[in-house]
């Protein structure tokens, strides 16, 4: 296939990544001027795009030890060639033996969701992350070892309060999702404002429904302030729609 485009800037041309494929070699012929209405082409060059994106564990540090089966595992967020990964598959192994897996629409999970219980002490788990991107699974090849301590906590401590909010992708082309790590089951209030302070959207969302929420589909290209509330906790994010 072919892709063409014009640039008003001299010596500059940007590929539209949403229109091209990964791991593909493209031939580019620059045309710098016209003679009698015909473009005069220069030398042809080859550009090879990177391979499909893969994810991997970024937190906690690989090789670390945890005393909580509720430990949160974060993976590299995938947004490449204009498209975001829609599913993150966390897989755990003990040695070469498969232990468990969980599919998530956000790039994180907990050890407990992989099947780790308080009985799995002094155990090293090898974790990989696959992603579903552009209709196919991209297998994670980076191995991350996380070891459990001598004693694992059975539940989240009562005095531990967590409220962490992230949104992805950012910038976004179509919509974005919220990634909220919280110890509360209270309802989430989501308010979105444009840069003039006008409220664009207001949602009340249950914790159990967060994974299905897609935000910004009908927004115009602009910068938005997203305010997320849960009880007395408030977080503000700035999102950009291309």
């Amino acid at each position: 296939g072919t892709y063409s485009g014009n640039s008003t800037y001299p010596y500059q041309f940007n590929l539209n990544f949403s229109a091209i494929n990964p791991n593909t070699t493209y031939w580019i012929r620059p045309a710098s001027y016209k003679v009698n209405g015909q473009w005069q082409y220069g030398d042809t060059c080859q550009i090879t795009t990177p391979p499909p994106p893969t994810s991997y564990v970024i937190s906690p540090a690989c090789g670390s030890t945890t005393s909580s089966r509720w430990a949160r595992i974060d993976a590299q967020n995938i947004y490449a060639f204009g498209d975001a990964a829609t599913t993150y598959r966390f897989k755990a192994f003990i040695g070469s033996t498969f232990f468990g897996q969980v599919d998530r629409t956000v790039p994180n999970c907990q050890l407990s969701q992989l099947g780790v219980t308080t009985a799995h002490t002094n155990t090293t788990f090898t974790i990989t992350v696959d992603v579903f991107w552009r209709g196919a699974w991209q297998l994670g090849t980076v191995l991350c070892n996380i070891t459990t301590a001598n004693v694992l906590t059975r539940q989240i401590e009562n005095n531990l309060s967590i409220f962490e909010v992230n949104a992805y992708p950012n910038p976004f082309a179509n919509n974005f999702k919220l990634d909220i790590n919280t110890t509360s089951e209270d309802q989430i209030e989501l308010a979105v404002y444009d840069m003039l302070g006008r409220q664009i959207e207001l949602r009340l969302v249950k914790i159990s429904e967060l994974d299905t929420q897609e935000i910004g589909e009908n927004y115009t290209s602009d910068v938005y302030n997203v305010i997320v509330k849960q009880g007395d906790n408030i977080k503000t994010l700035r999102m950009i729609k291309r």
Side-chain angles (χ1 to χ4, degrees):
T2 61
Y3 174 77
S4 63
N6 297 323
S7 174
T8 58
Y9 297 96
Y11 317 120
Q12 181 177 343
F13 174 74
N14 295 321
L15 284 174
N16 179 2
F17 275 99
S18 63
I20 64 176
N21 297 314
N23 205 27
T24 303
T25 298
Y26 292 87
W27 295 77
I28 297 178
R29 295 181 61 199
S32 57
Y33 57 92
K34 284 184 177 180
V35 174
N36 297 325
Q38 298 295 320
W39 282 107
Q40 303 303 304
Y41 287 92
D43 294 335
T44 300
C45 71
Q46 290 183 353
I47 294 179
T48 301
T49 56
T54 57
S55 188
Y56 49 89
V57 174
I58 58 175
S59 177
C62 298
S64 63
T65 298
T66 180
S67 60
S68 173
R69 60 185 291 260
W70 301 97
R72 169 168 154 161
I73 301 170
D74 290 287
Q76 177 64 43
N77 185 35
I78 296 301
Y79 184 79
F81 294 91
D83 292 306
T86 56
T87 307
Y88 294 79
R89 174 170 291 171
F90 293 81
K91 295 191 294 190
F93 301 81
I94 299 177
S96 59
T97 303
F98 176 75
F99 177 78
Q101 74 179 40
V102 62
D103 288 354
R104 300 269 289 162
T105 58
V106 292
N108 65 67
C109 74
Q110 293 175 326
L111 277 177
S112 59
Q113 292 174 306
L114 288 168
V116 177
T117 69
T118 53
H120 296 103
T121 58
N122 292 321
T123 304
T124 297
F125 294 93
T126 299
I127 299 172
T128 61
V129 185
D130 302 339
V131 292
F132 195 72
W133 180 80
R134 283 195 177 180
W137 284 103
Q138 308 299 329
L139 300 183
T141 58
V142 178
L143 309 181
C144 182
N145 292 331
I146 297 175
T147 302
T148 54
N150 295 333
V151 177
L152 287 177
T153 55
R154 291 180 178 274
Q155 58 188 13
I156 299 174
E157 297 178 5
N158 292 331
N159 63 349
L160 178 63
S161 178
I162 298 174
F163 185 67
E164 300 171 341
V165 182
N166 291 290
Y168 70 96
N170 190 21
F172 64 98
N174 298 312
N175 56 61
F176 67 91
K177 291 186 176 183
L178 290 177
D179 172 17
I180 300 179
N181 183 28
T182 176
T183 51
S184 172
E185 292 297 324
D186 291 347
Q187 188 172 239
I188 297 290
E189 178 182 307
L190 167 69
V192 181
Y193 297 85
D194 64 14
M195 297 309 293
L196 296 178
R198 296 174 298 193
Q199 187 176 85
I200 304 300
E201 186 168 1
L202 177 65
R203 295 189 192 187
L204 298 177
V205 184
K206 296 179 181 179
I207 291 295
S208 59
E209 298 173 346
L210 276 176
D211 285 357
T212 64
Q213 297 296 308
E214 296 181 342
I215 308 157
E217 188 71 41
N218 298 319
Y219 296 2
T220 59
S221 297
D222 204 344
V223 179
Y224 297 90
N225 287 321
V226 180
I227 300 177
V228 183
K229 297 182 182 179
Q230 186 185 43
D232 295 331
N233 295 311
I234 301 176
K235 294 288 185 180
T236 300
L237 306 172
R238 179 162 290 188
M239 302 298 296
I240 301 171
K241 183 164 188 179
R242 295 188 186 278

